[in-house]
Amino acid sequence: ITHRKNVYGSSYYINDGLYQDYESILNSPRRLSSTELKKGDLAYKDINGDGKIDSDDQVKLGKPFFPLFDYGFDFNLDYNGFFLYGLLQGTGKRYTELALLYKGGNIVNSNYAFQMDSWTPENLSASYPRSSALQSTNSGNNTINSDFWLINAQYFRLKSLQFGYDFKKILFKNNPGISKFKLSLLGTNLFTISEAMDFFDPEAYNYGEGYPVQKTYSIVLNIG
């Protein structure tokens, strides 16, 4: 187990859900540069109550970017020729903000299943803001740093598991030249428990843009 001092992230706007009607847009505090707000856009909380949304409304959330600890446990079991080896690993809580690739919401260029649950007039209970071809016309209202895009990337993973049998006693019992003849099935990255898995592999890259860690299966022959 590795323990490290926590490092805390930047300040964030606090989201107030998605605008569902134009009355809410007209009667709610907003960023002055968000001049093209539409239904399905993200709303933000006016933390200091001055009637507008600006940097004074950003909050330090105290959520760690780096995990307080990470860990790994391995095991090595042998019984009467059979063997089972494995490695478990994971981290404590850590939070990362989704990269712009995930925030953009341009349905034409969507690469991830969750992006299909964007707001539309027929999907008012959507989990994500409306899709738009160009966020800059609205001053990036839906893509600015906010708690809406923070993901808990803590994870627990069965990194590897190997099960097999040593045929030495059966096939080469009287052959002193062979000390082992192990045949086994090896799997890596067999399963992972993490809230981040719907978005990215938590082991791959901090912001989720890295190539995903692959699940593999191998047949292993180990002769000594």
Side-chain angles (χ1 to χ4, degrees), residues 89 91 94 153 155 157 159 189 192 194 196-197 200-206 211-213:
Q89 69 178 46
T91 70
R94 59 179 291 259
Y155 75 93
R157 167 165 282 164
K159 187 64 178 177
N189 304 310
T192 304
S194 176
M197 288 301 291
F200 59 88
D201 190 302
E203 188 185 357
Y205 189 67
N206 285 332
Y211 195 80
V213 173

Side-chain angles (χ1 to χ4, degrees), residues 49-64:
D50 64 357
K52 61 182 178 179
I53 306 297
D54 56 22
S55 59
D56 292 335
D57 297 301
Q58 291 182 321
V59 176
K60 284 190 176 295
L61 301 178
K63 294 184 176 182

Side-chain angles (χ1 to χ4, degrees), residues 82-99:
F82 291 96
F83 58 90
L84 180 67
Y85 310 145
L87 173 63
L88 306 169
Q89 69 178 46
T91 70
K93 281 188 177 180
R94 59 179 291 259
Y95 291 82
T96 187
E97 186 177 4
L98 290 181

Side-chain angles (χ1 to χ4, degrees), residues 33-79:
S33 56
S34 297
T35 57
E36 298 290 336
L37 285 174
K38 294 180 172 60
K39 291 186 290 184
D41 282 334
L42 274 171
Y44 300 102
K45 293 183 179 181
D46 182 12
I47 300 299
N48 64 359
D50 64 357
K52 61 182 178 179
I53 306 297
D54 56 22
S55 59
D56 292 335
D57 297 301
Q58 291 182 321
V59 176
K60 284 190 176 295
L61 301 178
K63 294 184 176 182
F65 180 78
F66 296 105
L68 183 62
F69 62 90
D70 45 33
Y71 60 86
F73 300 100
D74 64 344
F75 54 88
N76 188 333
L77 306 175
D78 289 271
Y79 177 74

Side-chain angles (χ1 to χ4, degrees), residues 198-217:
D198 289 338
F199 307 94
F200 59 88
D201 190 302
E203 188 185 357
Y205 189 67
N206 285 332
Y207 296 98
E209 291 185 334
Y211 195 80
V213 173
Q214 293 181 304
K215 181 185 295 184
T216 65
Y217 297 95

